[in-house]
Amino acid sequence: MTAQYLVTVRSRYDHHAPQSLYLLEADLQAAEIDLLANELLHDPVVQTAAWSTIDTLPDDHGAAGSPLVVEVAYKPGVTDNEAESVRVGAARLGITGLHVVKTLRRYSIQHPDEAAALANDVIQTTLTYASGATADRQAWYATLLHSPAQTEPHVAHVAINGADDETLLRISREGILALDLAEMRAIQEYFRREEREPSDGELETIAQTWSEHCSHKTFKGRVRYRVARGPRTEDESPALPSERYAALHLLAQDCEIDSLIKTFLMVATQHVLAQRSHDPQLKAQDWVLSAFVDNAGILAFTDEYEVSFKVETHNHPSALEPFGGANTGVGGVVRDVLGVSALPIANTDVLCFGPLDLADEALSPGVHHPRRIAAGVVDGVRDYGNKLGIPTVNGAVLYDPGYIANPLVYCGTVGLAPRGSHPRTVSPGDAAVVLGGRTGRDGIHGATFSSIELTHSTVEEVGSAVQIGDPITEKKLIDVILQARDRRLYSAITDCGAGGLSSAVGEMGAECGVTVELEDVPLKYAGLQPWEIWLSEAQERMVVAVPPDKLAELLELCAGEDVEATVIGHFTDTGRLSVTHRGTTVVDLDMHFLHDGRPQRVLDALWESGDQGQTTTGKAVGSPAPADILLSLLAHPNIASKAPIIRTYDHEVGGRTVAKPLVGALCDGPGDAAVLQPLHSSPRGIALGCGINPRYGQIDPYWMALACVDEALRNVVAVGGDPGQVAILDNFCWGDPRQPDRMAGLTRAAAGCYDAALAYGAPFISGKDSLNNEYRDAQGVRTPIPPTLLISALAIVPDVTQSVTMDLKEPGSLVYLLGLTKPELGGAHALDAGMLAAEGLAVPRVDLEQAPRLLASLHAAIRAGLVSACHDLSEGGLGVAAAEMAIAGGLGVELDLAAAPRAEGVTSDASLLFTESPTRLLVEVRPEHAAAFEAQLTGLPVARVGVVTSEPQLVARGLGGAEVLRTPVEELRAAWQGTPVV
């Protein structure tokens, strides 16, 4: 007979620790409940377990001295991985009568207000009670255990054919379709031709396919770019060579641009590859195997293997449910690489949060505190990567008030696969098979939700867009896909991400047609309507096209690996997307209209150039000593050690990580980039680096883009990456592109990407945009994020045994500064908290004539074995870079600022120490290699500026020859490691 039980697990030693509760609905004997409780649900060494039926609950009122108890459970439809593990464990114990499992946590609290901090009402529900509330608990448990009833499928039709413009917009708004008037009119015209009204499933399918997330309609739109008339700025000066700054010259005047992605990003790659094709040593056609067409970009690694790389964002979900948003962000990008038939071998993550010390009263309603967001996001990244056994090897963490309501979560994955093992040909008659997790009411409207701004009421409107990942299911999915790939069991593959089956199956069958029967889709629970099954973004699912003669073998493989696999339809030659549920038509759309019928968006862009043409000089405010400025910079949240975050990630698993995130004598120095050795049989490797600087984006996004590309390339070159074999990815995170100022900045950033890619010879192989990162409060006040561009770089390391780290190695070695320091303090961290005063806001500018030559010459020096250590200058400039090298090496360094290469206008010690001019690196060279090193860098701005010392102090002499800085390395270390980062 079915009964309901509660198992309570407590710590033996900490009576105030949270308790784990397990709600069970089952046909079990008492002995079987005992077996579950004692063998599966607790650790007898440190825990105790007790159980009762719901009808005979003990009066549990928490820890002694705590008057209240709060219990926290997942809401219906939210993935509960622990509960699923209980099901699996019970089956392995031979217990088969378990019907429903729910997991809860119980906390002892002093005041009802404390309950809010223990749960996220987007995904969780709570019950707070005092002693004697047994009836309330019984009623709550019954609600949690209630399973949705099977409902009759219903396909609704939406009356749009006779609707006026106001009604069309209301339908879009209320349905969270994120479609504008032109798009709604196009849909209306299509169904008028079809002489019928659209079904709910059809409207939802079109909305997902046409969403910003899936179709990139802003980047594919037509931009009417205008320049605000005013005094001529240096940006428009013909002094910048047109062949190096072609896109910048284009934007010096009013113009119209047909598609940013085609004009600036894809064309940049085409031009780079065309340039490389004229150099037989570069073998262009053998290097970029796939760009902008697959789930991830693909590059040749060796004659037998290829590597793939993709970086995604999961921003809006992370704002609402930080753990789940980051967790599924990692899982999604891992599936992107799996979607090109590759083994995921490394993860990267770049995180942007609001200030952790923000006062609680400064938060808007419905916005989580940055501390809560940061902790949840870091835990989410750690949980997924560590459980999958994929090392997290590279990234960055930034803090800015602009990210308070809209954190940014960039997740990237690198894959490895045999050359040519990724099939792409769908044929009529192939079966459409869904693999992996089951489908539930989670993630619905995720694609359209990410295409709108966040507001104070977003949680109530689109809470279902938030999901929780299941890395164990994904691990089994990876194992199956790789075996199926090697056995050639599928003809095409894609991940089931944004838009769920509607996007995955719809895109896979775009060139031919497909039929789907939704009744065959495995569900987590009953009660889903057909359109919900079709649109659900439930995690850990892949879709494969399987030839008829391979189907039985694939299904047998999946059964053997405990991965659910179900045929849900077949590909056809009809050119239509046909979806039914128990024979009732849910979707019947022409593929051409679905994928090519969206009207091109027209966007206005107005650039007001401001004062970017001014030079900048810096001077100390109130004459603080350079040592005090340096210590303040080392403690700055953007610069301080991220070891508390990094050490939660496994960056060693797999045995491929050569250069780790933390390097040096004590493994506590900030590595510039990761170096991986994908194949243990070959010393050939890859370097992974990134460049991001939103502070520049608030001045001029064009120069920010150049600086981000330059930083990403500096990072990979600093560890031994070849700048002649580097590919880059773009990830734009921006505000509302319908605002002309935001759109102008986005246009300039894309233009900067074009100029940088051509100058460095670095092709873009993939990219992603996340727009509408704005928060609108109840009064309608809008706050956009800082314009943010992440550039990720992957470079070939010819021999990982020659890779270089940034820690100082040997007393007596010489220190060289490569690159020119210029009078450009715009965006510098030394301006924060009044450390320096600046005249003007000149953003640092990359010299596209000189920078590529400098990086190429540095790489040649590294390959020749002339470099002992190398570190790029970024946040905090020369002073911070030297301090970090000394901290990592446990050695000292003496600097002579007067010897540093500098441009006219750099006249103070503070400017030399703390300006953040790009394309600069500090290099350690042994004395016997000095002449060869200097010869390698002939004709470039490079100078010997110091020497490594055995006494662990950072010493600097100023322009006048006097000592201006002397600080023990331990004091530098304490400042750098002292700022909490989560």
Side-chain angles (χ1 to χ4, degrees):
M1 181 178 177
T2 301
Q4 297 175 339
Y5 304 90
L6 177 69
V7 180
T8 303
V9 177
R10 296 177 170 87
S11 169
R12 286 185 182 273
Y13 307 107
D14 184 355
H15 300 299
H16 294 276
Q19 299 170 10
S20 297
L21 309 181
Y22 300 90
L23 275 178
L24 311 175
E25 188 170 87
D27 292 321
L28 298 178
Q29 301 297 320
E32 292 176 302
I33 294 290
D34 281 335
L35 183 63
L36 269 178
N38 294 324
E39 298 296 329
L40 182 65
L41 300 182
H42 89 291
D43 180 348
V45 175
V46 295
Q47 295 173 315
T48 64
W51 64 271
S52 67
T53 64
I54 301 302
D55 295 334
T56 60
L57 287 177
D59 185 11
D60 254 319
H61 56 288
S66 298
L68 295 174
V69 170
V70 58
E71 294 184 4
V72 181
Y74 286 119
K75 288 182 175 180
V78 176
T79 299
D80 186 341
N81 291 322
E82 189 177 2
E84 186 58 32
S85 295
V86 171
R87 289 175 174 275
V88 173
R92 291 176 178 172
L93 287 172
I95 298 173
T96 58
L98 203 56
H99 303 313
V100 181
V101 181
K102 299 288 183 181
T103 64
L104 300 82
R105 291 292 181 271
R106 176 188 287 159
Y107 302 87
S108 300
I109 60 175
Q110 298 292 326
H111 192 276
D113 290 346
E114 296 176 45
L118 299 173
N120 184 345
D121 58 9
V122 174
I123 60 168
Q124 292 167 318
T125 180
T126 63
L127 175 70
T128 302
Y129 60 89
S131 178
T134 302
D136 292 340
R137 294 170 60 202
Q138 289 171 330
W140 192 54
Y141 295 157
T143 300
L144 294 176
L145 287 168
H146 174 71
S147 299
Q150 180 67 54
T151 58
E152 282 300 312
H154 175 67
V155 178
H157 289 82
V158 183
I160 70 168
N161 287 345
D164 58 20
D165 289 351
E166 183 178 345
T167 303
L168 290 175
L169 288 175
R170 178 180 56 78
I171 291 170
S172 175
R173 182 175 59 256
E174 293 179 355
I176 317 176
L177 303 179
L179 297 170
D180 62 24
L181 182 57
E183 292 160 346
M184 289 298 295
R185 285 174 174 171
I187 295 169
Q188 182 184 58
E189 182 58 32
Y190 172 79
F191 283 101
R192 283 175 175 173
R193 293 195 303 270
E194 294 271 306
E195 298 182 347
R196 62 184 179 87
E197 299 286 7
S199 69
D200 48 7
E202 288 171 328
L203 267 186
E204 294 283 359
T205 298
I206 296 169
Q208 307 307 305
T209 306
W210 290 8
S211 68
E212 191 76 76
H213 183 94
C214 294
S215 73
H216 315 289
K217 52 193 175 186
T218 292
F219 270 79
K220 293 179 180 178
R222 190 167 75 253
V223 182
R224 297 185 295 208
Y225 180 88
R226 302 290 181 268
V227 179
R229 300 305 170 193
R232 187 176 183 85
T233 70
E234 188 179 333
D235 280 354
E236 300 164 308
S237 169
L240 294 171
S242 58
E243 66 274 13
R244 289 293 189 184
Y245 300 90
L248 179 62
H249 281 272
L250 172 67
L251 298 185
Q253 56 193 352
D254 296 352
C255 59
E256 196 160 290
I257 300 163
D258 185 5
S259 175
L260 296 182
I261 190 171
K262 293 180 181 177
T263 302
F264 292 132
L265 302 175
M266 297 177 72
V267 166
T269 295
Q270 294 167 7
H271 289 175
V272 168
L273 296 184
Q275 290 173 357
R276 293 171 65 91
S277 67
H278 297 300
D279 187 338
Q281 294 183 340
L282 295 179
K283 299 181 181 179
Q285 64 274 22
D286 294 334
W287 167 236
V288 177
L289 303 180
S290 175
F292 294 106
V293 294
D294 284 302
N295 287 35
I298 305 175
L299 301 167
F301 180 58
T302 67
D303 291 340
E304 295 81 26
Y305 284 88
E306 62 192 30
V307 290
S308 48
F309 195 15
K310 180 65 175 290
V311 178
E312 280 274 11
T313 53
H314 229 219
N315 303 332
H316 281 23
S318 299
L320 300 188
E321 209 305 291
F323 177 90
N327 199 244
T328 54
V330 175
V333 76
V334 167
R335 291 195 304 277
D336 278 329
V337 165
L338 197 60
V340 293
S341 304
L343 167 69
I345 62 170
N347 285 341
T348 70
D349 68 280
V350 174
L351 313 174
C352 302
F353 304 126
L356 300 186
D357 58 357
L358 184 73
D360 291 342
E361 55 269 22
L363 286 175
S364 298
V367 176
H368 295 307
H369 195 282
R371 286 193 303 272
R372 185 171 184 176
I373 291 177
V377 165
V378 170
D379 283 350
V381 171
R382 169 195 50 76
D383 177 82
Y384 216 99
N386 287 7
K387 286 180 179 176
L388 276 186
I390 301 175
T392 300
V393 299
N394 180 251
V397 185
L398 302 178
Y399 301 90
D400 188 279
Y403 301 122
I404 291 172
N406 284 273
L408 302 184
V409 178
Y410 299 91
C411 302
T413 299
V414 177
L416 176 71
R419 291 276 290 267
S421 61
H422 174 49
R424 302 176 176 87
T425 304
V426 176
S427 299
D430 286 354
V433 181
V434 62
L435 307 175
R438 290 194 157 212
T439 297
R441 194 179 282 112
D442 41 359
I444 292 176
H445 286 141
T448 52
F449 155 64
S450 66
S451 301
I452 58 177
E453 65 187 2
L454 296 179
T455 73
H456 64 287
S457 60
T458 297
V459 170
E460 290 78 14
E461 295 167 355
V462 293
S464 63
V466 177
Q467 309 153 75
I468 299 294
D470 180 5
I472 304 305
T473 295
E474 185 135 316
K475 179 63 173 71
K476 295 190 294 184
L477 189 60
I478 292 171
D479 293 342
V480 158
I481 292 297
L482 296 179
Q483 292 180 69
R485 176 202 69 191
D486 293 341
R487 289 156 66 170
R488 307 285 181 177
L489 299 184
Y490 57 85
S491 56
I493 183 171
T494 192
D495 80 299
C496 203
L501 293 170
S502 74
S503 291
V505 178
E507 291 173 7
M508 191 177 285
E511 300 301 320
C512 56
V514 64
T515 63
V516 173
E517 173 50 58
L518 293 177
E519 186 179 17
D520 296 332
V521 176
L523 303 181
K524 295 180 181 180
Y525 38 78
L528 271 68
Q529 286 297 325
W531 76 268
E532 293 177 310
I533 300 172
W534 184 233
L535 270 294
S536 166
E537 297 182 13
Q539 295 291 296
E540 289 78 44
R541 297 179 301 163
M542 302 289 291
V543 176
V544 291
V546 183
D549 61 337
K550 302 290 187 182
L551 182 58
E553 187 178 353
L554 176 74
L555 296 179
E556 182 182 6
L557 169 64
C558 293
E561 293 287 351
D562 194 25
V563 171
E564 194 161 17
T566 308
V567 177
I568 62 170
H570 290 83
F571 294 93
T572 69
D573 60 0
T574 63
R576 296 190 73 84
L577 175 62
S578 176
V579 183
T580 58
H581 186 277
R582 299 182 189 172
T584 300
T585 298
V586 179
V587 176
D588 182 18
L589 293 171
D590 175 70
M591 284 292 195
H592 177 73
F593 171 74
L594 179 61
H595 294 286
D596 301 308
R598 179 182 55 78
Q600 187 180 29
R601 175 169 279 186
V602 179
L603 297 138
D604 289 311
L606 178 63
W607 175 245
E608 298 185 58
S609 57
D611 58 358
Q612 290 82 14
Q614 296 184 20
T615 59
T616 306
T617 58
K619 59 182 179 180
V621 179
S623 300
D628 294 333
I629 298 175
L630 178 57
L631 292 172
S632 296
L633 282 171
L634 289 170
H636 192 290
N638 287 349
I639 297 172
S641 172
K642 305 305 185 295
I645 293 175
I646 294 169
R647 295 196 190 283
T648 69
Y649 304 146
D650 189 336
H651 49 264
E652 302 273 7
V653 62
R656 295 182 174 92
T657 315
V658 176
K660 282 73 169 175
L662 297 170
V663 300
L666 300 177
C667 294
D668 61 354
D672 289 286
V675 176
L676 301 175
Q677 184 181 2
L679 301 170
H680 299 306
S681 59
S682 169
R684 191 171 175 84
I686 58 175
L688 298 176
C690 60
I692 184 169
N693 199 323
R695 299 165 73 97
Y696 294 177
Q698 297 180 75
I699 305 173
D700 188 340
Y702 172 85
W703 294 105
M704 173 188 70
L706 265 63
C708 290
V709 174
D710 186 74
E711 181 184 16
L713 268 63
R714 289 198 312 269
N715 283 334
V716 294
V717 171
V719 298
D722 182 355
Q725 283 191 292
V726 61
I728 52 180
L729 284 70
D730 62 83
N731 284 87
F732 295 85
C733 287
W734 230 259
D736 184 355
R738 292 164 296 186
Q739 306 300 313
D741 61 328
R742 274 73 134 181
M743 191 64 221
L746 187 61
T747 301
R748 292 181 70 81
C753 287
Y754 174 90
D755 283 343
L758 264 65
Y760 290 102
F764 285 100
I765 58 169
S766 182
K768 196 68 175 177
D769 57 89
S770 173
L771 309 179
N772 299 290
N773 288 285
E774 304 207 0
Y775 178 79
R776 178 166 49 84
D777 63 19
Q779 289 71 46
V781 177
R782 302 165 64 100
T783 304
I785 64 165
T788 308
L789 170 66
L790 170 67
I791 296 293
S792 303
L794 186 156
I796 294 296
V797 178
D799 185 346
V800 296
T801 65
Q802 294 182 314
S803 59
V804 176
T805 55
M806 52 75 67
D807 48 303
L808 295 176
K809 304 296 193 304
E810 186 177 358
S813 290
L814 307 176
V815 177
Y816 287 83
L817 175 60
L818 280 60
L820 201 62
T821 303
K822 304 175 188 176
E824 45 191 18
L825 269 169
H829 285 73
L831 300 179
D832 290 4
M835 286 182 271
L836 287 181
E839 300 171 4
L841 290 173
V843 67
R845 301 182 174 203
V846 177
D847 183 342
L848 293 180
E849 289 279 0
Q850 189 176 87
R853 292 191 292 115
L854 188 148
L855 294 182
S857 296
L858 174 59
H859 176 67
I862 292 174
R863 285 283 282 154
L866 305 178
V867 173
S868 300
C870 184
H871 192 28
D872 94 304
L873 273 63
S874 52
E875 294 87 358
L878 172 62
V880 166
E884 289 174 339
M885 294 180 78
I887 291 169
L891 298 170
V893 61
E894 294 182 358
L895 297 176
D896 180 3
L897 300 182
R902 64 186 187 277
E904 184 179 352
V906 179
T907 58
S908 72
D909 298 332
S911 290
L912 274 169
L913 280 169
F914 307 122
T915 294
E916 297 178 10
S917 293
T919 329
R920 295 184 303 157
L921 302 101
L922 271 183
V923 177
E924 178 188 358
V925 178
R926 298 179 68 180
E928 60 267 30
H929 294 150
F933 178 79
E934 292 173 10
Q936 186 66 61
L937 277 292
T938 298
L940 294 166
V942 57
R944 186 187 306 179
V945 297
V947 63
V948 180
T949 64
S950 57
E951 184 179 8
Q953 295 207 57
L954 175 58
V955 180
R957 293 190 304 277
L959 292 174
E963 186 176 289
V964 297
L965 173 66
R966 178 178 289 272
T967 306
V969 168
E970 281 310 305
E971 190 174 345
L972 300 174
R973 187 191 306 275
W976 187 63
Q977 296 181 344
T979 302
V981 290
V982 172

